[in-house]
Amino acid sequence: MDSCVTPLRHGSLSLVQTTDFFYPLVEDPYMMGRIACANVLSDLYAMGITECDNMLMLLSVSQRMSDKEREKVMPLMMRGFRDAAEEGGTSVTGGQTVLNPWIIIGGVATVVCQPSEFIMPDNAVPGDVLVLTKPLGTQVAVNAHQWIDIPEKWNKIKLVVSKEDVELAYQEAMYNMAMLNRTAAGLMHTFNAHAATDITGFGILGHAQNLAQQQRCDVAFVIHNLPIIAKMAAISKACGSMFGLVQGSSAETSGGLLVCLPREQAARFCAEIKSPKYGEGHQAWIIGIVEKGNRSARIIDKPRIIEVTPRGAGAGGQEGTPTTTTTPSPEALV
Amino acid sequence: MDSCVTPLRHGSLSLVQTTDFFYPLVEDPYMMGRIACANVLSDLYAMGITECDNMLMLLSVSQRMSDKEREKVMPLMMRGFRDAAEEGGTSVTGGQTVLNPWIIIGGVATVVCQPSEFIMPDNAVPGDVLVLTKPLGTQVAVNAHQWIDIPEKWNKIKLVVSKEDVELAYQEAMYNMAMLNRTAAGLMHTFNAHAATDITGFGILGHAQNLAQQQRCDVAFVIHNLPIIAKMAAISKACGSMFGLVQGSSAETSGGLLVCLPREQAARFCAEIKSPKYGEGHQAWIIGIVEKGNRSARIIDKPRIIEVTPRGAGAGGQEGTPTTTTTPSPEALV
C-alpha cells in the first residue's frame, strides 16, 4: 500500500503515514519544494485521505554549495514545501536537516483517522474502469529539458521536437508534479472508488501491476489509453528503450492517481474534477478497464496516445486547462 | 521540544512524532542500526512517552558499495534497527530507501496518546535536581577508536590512553548509544519528573541550555558533575579545543536523558533505574541543580568528573554494570 495503516489503542482510529525523500529534478528550488511535498502527500491521497494532521520535513544541504547558494536555494525549497503543505490543509512542525554530498528533500505525512476516511485499495471488481488524474511523461520532459544544452543528447531527439516544445512540456510537467492529488482523493469518496494508487517511480504499468496484485477479487487491469504530455511519446520512442513511456515503464515523479471506479461513475468523476470549484488545471482520463483475471496488469498492443497539450502552448488550449488531441497509435507520432 | 505534538480532531488525543537520520559512526552495521533506532525513539522517551505506535525507516545505500558489500551490510543495519524497535515495543511498517554517495540510516517514530502519557518539558522549579541517564563521551570514544590506525592522530593522545582503554571505551560507548531510554522515560512518571530532554549533537551544555530556555519558571540549570566514559575527559583535554567534553560541548549520539526531578525523588530515580527488573546496565547520576535564574544553563568552573569504567574492563566492574570512580577535577586526569 502507498501508506502504512496502524490500528491505534484509541477507539476505532488508525494511524496512516508515509515518508518519501528525493533528489531535486527541476531547476527552480521553490517548485522543487512544492513537488516534494505533493509527492509525500500523494501516498495519503491515494488512499482517499484528504486531511493530514502533521508533516515533518527531511532535508539535506549539499556540502558542495557555497554559503551564498545555500542561503538562496534552501529557504526557497523549504518555502515551496511549506506552501504546498498549507495548500493541503496541513503544516510542517518538525524535521531534520543534515549535510550531504547531494541535496535531499522529502518528508513524512501523518494522519489519524476513522476507517471511513480512507479507502483500502483492494476492492476492484470486473467491470470497473481505470481513471488517471495527471498526464504521463514527467521524467521524459525533465530529461529532455536538460538535454537542450547537451548537443550529443539533443541530436538524438531534435528531429521529433523543437526546443520550444520541450520548454513547454517541462513547464507542464512541473505544473503537474507540483499539483496536489487532494481533489482527486476527495472525489474518490464522492464516486465510490474501489481502489487507487499514485504513479511514481515504477511507471504507470508498474504501479498498475502492484495495485492489481493487492485486489481481493480475481481481476486484471487492461490499459487502452495513455494520456501523455505532448511530444513526450515521440521523444521516448526516439530514445529507444531508455524510457519506455508507451510501454508504461517510464518513472514519474508526483504523478496522478490511478483510480478504479464503477463504470457508471468514471465519466462523472472525470467531468467533476474539471469543475472550476476545485481550481484550475485538474483533468482526468478513462484509461482502461478491469476484467476478470489473475491480478495482473497490461497495456494493450497499440494503446491510444492522448497527447496532452501544455497549457502554455499558444494554439488551442484555453487558459489554465490543457487540451488533448488523440492519435490512433504511437507510430503516428514520429 | 524533542518531538512535535499535534492536537488531533479526535477527543483529547495528541499526535507526537519525531524524525532523525544519521551517517554511520560505528563499524558494526547491526549495532549502527540499533543506535539509529535508539536515537530516533529517544525524542519520544525524552517526553516521558514509553510507547510508540509506528516507526518508518529512512535508508540510503551508498553507490560506492559493491553489490557484495550492500548485500552483507544493509540487511544487518536494518535488522539492528528492527530489533531495537521491537525492544521498544513497536515495529517498522514502512519507509524509503534511496541511493546516495553516503550511507544514511534513520527513521520516524510516531505515537498517538492522551495528555497524561507525555510530560511537557517546561515545569522545572528552583530546588529541582538534574539527573543524567547515560555517561558522556561517545563522540570522543568513537573518534579515538578510529585514530588507533592513524599514527599522526594517535600520537596526540597516546600519552593519556592505551589502545586497550580506547577499545573498551568504544565498546562502552556503543553499548550506551544502542541502549533505549525507555526505562528512564517510564521512571519519569514514577518520580514526577518536571522536564527532560535527550543529549545528542549539541552536547550536555547545549541541550541543558535549550531545556532551560523552555521553562515556565525563572530557573537556571547548574551542572556540578559530569559522568564520562573513563579516560575520555583526558583524551578531550589532550586534543585542545576539538571536543570540549568537560566544557559540555562535545556532541553525543543517542545520549542519555537529562531529567529535572524534585530533589526528594532524584536519588530514588537513580536507585530504581539500577534495579535488575529493567535489565542490565542502566545507571543514572545526579549532575546538578535547578536554581532561580534567567533560563540559562552552565557548568561550574571545576566540575567533578565521574569516570565511568567500561563494563568490559577487567578490574572492579561487576558483570553488566559499569563502575564509577571520581576525581576532584579534570586536571587530575592528565
Side-chain angles (χ1 to χ4, degrees), chain A residues 81-137:
Chain A
F81 193 98
R82 286 183 187 279
D83 281 359
E86 195 177 309
E87 196 183 311
T90 184
S91 57
V92 181
T93 66
Q96 208 203 354
T97 305
V98 300
L99 263 180
N100 190 62
W102 297 348
I103 294 174
I104 292 173
I105 180 149
V108 183
T110 304
V111 66
V112 174
C113 59
Q114 299 288 356
S116 62
E117 291 180 67
F118 58 88
I119 296 170
M120 290 299 283
D122 60 2
N123 288 306
V125 292
D128 281 353
V129 300
L130 302 171
V131 164
L132 181 67
T133 69
K134 290 182 187 176
L136 304 169

Coordinates of all heavy atoms in Angstrom, one line a residue, chain A residues 81-137:
Chain A
F81 N 7.9 23.8 -0.1 CA 7.4 22.6 0.6 C 6.3 23.0 1.6 O 5.2 22.5 1.6 CB 8.5 21.9 1.4 CG 8.2 20.5 1.9 CD1 8.5 19.4 1.2 CD2 7.5 20.4 3.1 CE1 8.3 18.1 1.7 CE2 7.2 19.1 3.6 CZ 7.6 18.0 2.9
R82 N 6.5 24.1 2.3 CA 5.6 24.6 3.3 C 4.3 25.1 2.6 O 3.2 24.9 3.1 CB 6.2 25.7 4.2 CG 7.2 25.2 5.2 CD 7.7 26.4 6.0 NE 8.8 25.9 6.9 CZ 8.6 25.3 8.0 NH1 7.4 25.0 8.5 NH2 9.6 24.8 8.8
D83 N 4.5 25.8 1.5 CA 3.3 26.3 0.8 C 2.4 25.2 0.3 O 1.2 25.3 0.4 CB 3.7 27.2 -0.3 CG 4.2 28.6 0.1 OD1 4.1 28.9 1.3 OD2 4.6 29.4 -0.8
A84 N 3.0 24.2 -0.2 CA 2.2 23.0 -0.7 C 1.5 22.3 0.5 O 0.4 21.9 0.4 CB 3.1 22.0 -1.4
A85 N 2.2 22.2 1.6 CA 1.6 21.6 2.8 C 0.4 22.5 3.3 O -0.7 21.9 3.6 CB 2.6 21.6 4.0
E86 N 0.5 23.8 3.2 CA -0.6 24.6 3.6 C -1.7 24.5 2.6 O -2.9 24.4 3.1 CB -0.1 26.1 3.6 CG -1.0 27.0 4.3 CD -0.4 28.5 4.3 OE1 0.7 28.6 4.7 OE2 -1.2 29.4 3.9
E87 N -1.4 24.4 1.3 CA -2.5 24.1 0.4 C -3.2 22.8 0.7 O -4.4 22.6 0.4 CB -1.9 24.1 -1.0 CG -2.9 24.2 -2.2 CD -2.2 24.0 -3.5 OE1 -1.1 24.7 -3.7 OE2 -2.6 23.2 -4.3
G88 N -2.5 21.8 1.2 CA -3.1 20.6 1.6 C -3.7 20.6 3.0 O -4.2 19.6 3.5
G89 N -3.9 21.8 3.6 CA -4.6 22.0 4.8 C -3.8 21.5 6.0 O -4.3 21.2 7.1
T90 N -2.5 21.4 5.9 CA -1.7 20.9 7.0 C -0.5 21.8 7.2 O -0.4 22.9 6.6 CB -1.2 19.4 6.7 OG1 -0.5 18.9 7.9 CG2 -0.3 19.3 5.5
S91 N 0.4 21.4 8.1 CA 1.6 22.3 8.3 C 2.8 21.4 8.7 O 2.6 20.3 9.2 CB 1.4 23.4 9.3 OG 1.0 22.9 10.5
V92 N 4.0 22.0 8.5 CA 5.2 21.3 8.8 C 5.6 21.7 10.2 O 5.9 22.9 10.4 CB 6.3 21.6 7.8 CG1 7.6 20.9 8.1 CG2 5.8 21.3 6.4
T93 N 5.7 20.8 11.2 CA 6.1 21.2 12.5 C 7.4 20.7 13.0 O 7.8 21.0 14.1 CB 5.0 20.7 13.5 OG1 5.1 19.3 13.6 CG2 3.6 21.1 13.2
G94 N 8.1 19.9 12.2 CA 9.4 19.4 12.6 C 10.1 18.8 11.4 O 9.7 19.0 10.3
G95 N 11.2 18.1 11.7 CA 12.0 17.5 10.7 C 13.5 17.4 11.1 O 13.8 17.6 12.2
Q96 N 14.3 17.1 10.1 CA 15.7 17.2 10.3 C 16.5 17.6 9.1 O 16.1 17.3 8.0 CB 16.2 15.8 10.8 CG 17.5 16.0 11.7 CD 18.4 14.7 11.8 OE1 18.0 13.7 11.2 NE2 19.5 14.9 12.4
T97 N 17.6 18.3 9.3 CA 18.5 18.7 8.2 C 19.9 18.2 8.5 O 20.4 18.3 9.6 CB 18.5 20.2 8.2 OG1 17.2 20.7 8.1 CG2 19.3 20.7 7.0
V98 N 20.5 17.6 7.5 CA 21.9 17.2 7.6 C 22.7 17.8 6.4 O 22.1 18.3 5.4 CB 22.1 15.7 7.6 CG1 21.3 15.1 8.8 CG2 21.6 15.0 6.3
L99 N 24.0 17.6 6.5 CA 24.9 17.9 5.3 C 25.1 16.6 4.5 O 25.1 15.5 5.1 CB 26.2 18.4 5.8 CG 26.5 19.9 5.8 CD1 27.9 20.1 6.3 CD2 26.3 20.5 4.5
N100 N 25.2 16.7 3.2 CA 25.3 15.5 2.4 C 26.0 15.9 1.1 O 25.9 17.1 0.7 CB 23.9 14.9 2.1 CG 23.9 13.6 1.5 OD1 24.4 12.6 2.0 ND2 23.4 13.5 0.3
P101 N 26.6 15.0 0.4 CA 27.1 15.4 -1.0 C 26.0 16.0 -1.9 O 26.2 16.9 -2.6 CB 27.7 14.1 -1.5 CG 28.0 13.3 -0.3 CD 27.0 13.7 0.7
W102 N 24.8 15.4 -1.8 CA 23.7 15.8 -2.6 C 22.6 16.5 -1.8 O 22.4 16.2 -0.6 CB 23.1 14.5 -3.3 CG 24.0 13.8 -4.2 CD1 25.2 14.3 -4.7 CD2 23.8 12.5 -4.8 NE1 25.8 13.3 -5.5 CE2 24.9 12.2 -5.6 CE3 22.8 11.6 -4.7 CZ2 25.1 11.0 -6.3 CZ3 22.9 10.4 -5.4 CH2 24.0 10.1 -6.2
I103 N 21.8 17.3 -2.5 CA 20.6 17.8 -1.9 C 19.5 16.8 -1.8 O 19.3 16.0 -2.7 CB 20.1 19.0 -2.7 CG1 21.1 20.2 -2.7 CG2 18.7 19.5 -2.1 CD1 20.7 21.3 -3.6
I104 N 18.9 16.7 -0.6 CA 17.7 15.8 -0.4 C 16.6 16.7 0.0 O 16.8 17.5 0.9 CB 18.0 14.7 0.6 CG1 19.1 13.7 0.1 CG2 16.8 14.0 1.0 CD1 19.6 12.7 1.2
I105 N 15.4 16.4 -0.5 CA 14.2 17.0 0.1 C 13.1 15.9 0.1 O 12.9 15.2 -0.8 CB 13.8 18.3 -0.6 CG1 12.5 18.8 0.1 CG2 13.5 18.1 -2.1 CD1 12.3 20.3 0.1
G106 N 12.4 15.9 1.3 CA 11.4 14.9 1.4 C 10.6 15.2 2.7 O 10.8 16.3 3.3
G107 N 9.8 14.2 3.1 CA 9.1 14.5 4.3 C 8.3 13.3 4.8 O 8.4 12.2 4.2
V108 N 7.5 13.5 5.8 CA 6.7 12.5 6.4 C 5.3 13.1 6.5 O 5.2 14.3 6.9 CB 7.2 12.1 7.8 CG1 6.3 11.0 8.4 CG2 8.6 11.8 7.8
A109 N 4.3 12.4 6.1 CA 2.9 12.9 6.3 C 2.1 11.9 7.1 O 2.2 10.7 6.9 CB 2.2 13.0 4.9
T110 N 1.4 12.4 8.1 CA 0.7 11.5 9.1 C -0.7 12.0 9.3 O -0.9 13.2 9.5 CB 1.5 11.5 10.4 OG1 2.9 11.2 10.2 CG2 0.9 10.6 11.4
V111 N -1.6 11.1 9.4 CA -3.0 11.4 9.8 C -3.5 10.4 10.7 O -3.2 9.2 10.6 CB -3.8 11.7 8.5 CG1 -4.0 10.4 7.8 CG2 -5.2 12.2 8.9
V112 N -4.3 10.8 11.6 CA -5.1 9.8 12.5 C -6.5 9.9 12.0 O -7.1 11.0 12.1 CB -4.9 10.1 14.0 CG1 -5.8 9.3 14.8 CG2 -3.5 10.0 14.4
C113 N -7.1 8.8 11.6 CA -8.5 8.9 11.1 C -9.3 7.7 11.3 O -8.9 6.7 11.8 CB -8.4 9.2 9.6 SG -7.5 8.0 8.6
Q114 N -10.6 7.9 11.1 CA -11.6 6.9 11.2 C -11.5 6.0 10.0 O -11.1 6.5 8.9 CB -13.0 7.5 11.3 CG -13.2 8.4 12.5 CD -13.3 7.6 13.8 OE1 -13.3 6.3 13.8 NE2 -13.4 8.3 14.9
P115 N -12.0 4.7 10.1 CA -11.9 3.9 8.9 C -12.7 4.5 7.7 O -12.3 4.2 6.5 CB -12.6 2.6 9.4 CG -12.5 2.6 10.9 CD -12.4 4.0 11.3
S116 N -13.7 5.3 7.9 CA -14.5 5.8 6.8 C -13.7 6.8 6.0 O -14.1 7.2 4.9 CB -15.8 6.5 7.3 OG -15.4 7.6 8.2
E117 N -12.6 7.3 6.6 CA -11.9 8.4 5.9 C -10.9 7.8 4.9 O -10.4 8.6 4.0 CB -11.1 9.2 6.9 CG -12.0 10.1 7.8 CD -11.2 10.9 8.8 OE1 -10.5 11.8 8.3 OE2 -11.3 10.7 10.0
F118 N -10.6 6.5 4.9 CA -9.7 6.0 3.9 C -10.3 4.8 3.1 O -11.2 4.2 3.7 CB -8.3 5.6 4.4 CG -8.2 4.6 5.5 CD1 -8.2 3.3 5.2 CD2 -8.3 5.0 6.9 CE1 -8.1 2.3 6.3 CE2 -8.2 4.1 7.9 CZ -8.1 2.7 7.6
I119 N -9.8 4.6 1.9 CA -10.4 3.6 1.1 C -9.3 2.6 0.9 O -8.3 2.9 0.2 CB -10.8 4.2 -0.3 CG1 -12.0 5.2 0.0 CG2 -11.2 3.2 -1.3 CD1 -12.3 6.1 -1.2
M120 N -9.5 1.4 1.4 CA -8.5 0.3 1.3 C -8.4 0.0 -0.2 O -9.5 -0.2 -0.9 CB -8.9 -0.9 2.1 CG -8.7 -0.7 3.6 SD -7.0 -0.3 4.1 CE -6.3 -1.9 4.0
P121 N -7.2 -0.1 -0.8 CA -7.1 -0.2 -2.2 C -7.2 -1.7 -2.7 O -6.3 -2.2 -3.4 CB -5.7 0.3 -2.5 CG -4.9 0.0 -1.2 CD -5.9 0.0 -0.1
D122 N -8.3 -2.4 -2.4 CA -8.3 -3.8 -2.7 C -9.7 -4.2 -3.2 O -10.0 -5.4 -3.1 CB -7.9 -4.7 -1.5 CG -8.7 -4.5 -0.3 OD1 -9.7 -3.7 -0.3 OD2 -8.3 -5.1 0.7
N123 N -10.6 -3.3 -3.6 CA -12.0 -3.6 -3.9 C -12.3 -3.6 -5.4 O -13.5 -3.5 -5.7 CB -12.9 -2.8 -3.1 CG -12.9 -3.1 -1.6 OD1 -13.1 -4.3 -1.3 ND2 -12.6 -2.2 -0.7
A124 N -11.4 -3.6 -6.3 CA -11.7 -3.5 -7.7 C -12.5 -4.8 -8.1 O -12.2 -5.9 -7.6 CB -10.4 -3.4 -8.5
V125 N -13.5 -4.6 -9.0 CA -14.2 -5.8 -9.5 C -14.3 -5.7 -11.0 O -14.2 -4.6 -11.6 CB -15.7 -5.8 -8.9 CG1 -15.7 -6.0 -7.4 CG2 -16.4 -4.5 -9.2
P126 N -14.5 -6.8 -11.6 CA -14.6 -6.8 -13.1 C -15.7 -5.9 -13.5 O -16.8 -5.9 -12.8 CB -14.9 -8.3 -13.4 CG -14.3 -9.1 -12.3 CD -14.5 -8.2 -11.1
G127 N -15.5 -5.1 -14.5 CA -16.5 -4.1 -14.9 C -16.1 -2.7 -14.5 O -16.6 -1.7 -15.1
D128 N -15.2 -2.6 -13.5 CA -14.7 -1.3 -13.2 C -14.0 -0.7 -14.3 O -13.5 -1.4 -15.2 CB -13.8 -1.3 -12.0 CG -14.5 -1.5 -10.6 OD1 -15.8 -1.4 -10.6 OD2 -13.8 -1.7 -9.6
V129 N -13.8 0.6 -14.3 CA -12.8 1.2 -15.2 C -11.7 2.0 -14.5 O -11.9 2.3 -13.3 CB -13.6 2.2 -16.2 CG1 -14.6 1.5 -17.0 CG2 -14.1 3.4 -15.5
L130 N -10.6 2.2 -15.2 CA -9.5 2.8 -14.6 C -9.4 4.3 -15.1 O -9.5 4.6 -16.3 CB -8.2 2.1 -15.1 CG -8.1 0.6 -14.8 CD1 -6.9 0.0 -15.5 CD2 -8.0 0.4 -13.3
V131 N -9.2 5.2 -14.1 CA -9.1 6.6 -14.4 C -7.7 7.1 -13.9 O -7.2 6.7 -12.9 CB -10.2 7.4 -13.7 CG1 -9.9 8.9 -13.6 CG2 -11.5 7.1 -14.4
L132 N -7.1 8.0 -14.7 CA -5.8 8.5 -14.4 C -5.9 10.1 -14.3 O -6.6 10.7 -15.1 CB -4.7 8.2 -15.4 CG -3.3 8.7 -15.2 CD1 -2.7 8.1 -13.9 CD2 -2.4 8.5 -16.4
T133 N -5.4 10.7 -13.2 CA -5.6 12.1 -13.0 C -4.5 13.1 -13.3 O -4.7 14.3 -13.1 CB -6.0 12.3 -11.5 OG1 -4.9 12.1 -10.7 CG2 -7.2 11.4 -11.0
K134 N -3.4 12.6 -13.8 CA -2.4 13.5 -14.4 C -1.8 12.9 -15.6 O -1.8 11.6 -15.7 CB -1.3 13.8 -13.4 CG -1.6 14.6 -12.2 CD -0.3 14.8 -11.3 CE -0.7 15.5 -10.0 NZ 0.5 15.6 -9.1
P135 N -1.4 13.6 -16.6 CA -0.7 13.0 -17.8 C 0.6 12.4 -17.4 O 1.3 12.8 -16.5 CB -0.6 14.2 -18.7 CG -0.5 15.4 -17.9 CD -1.4 15.1 -16.7
L136 N 1.0 11.4 -18.2 CA 2.4 10.8 -18.0 C 3.4 11.6 -18.8 O 3.1 12.5 -19.5 CB 2.3 9.4 -18.6 CG 1.2 8.5 -18.0 CD1 1.1 7.2 -18.8 CD2 1.5 8.2 -16.5
G137 N 4.7 11.2 -18.5 CA 5.8 11.8 -19.3 C 6.6 12.8 -18.5 O 7.5 13.5 -19.1

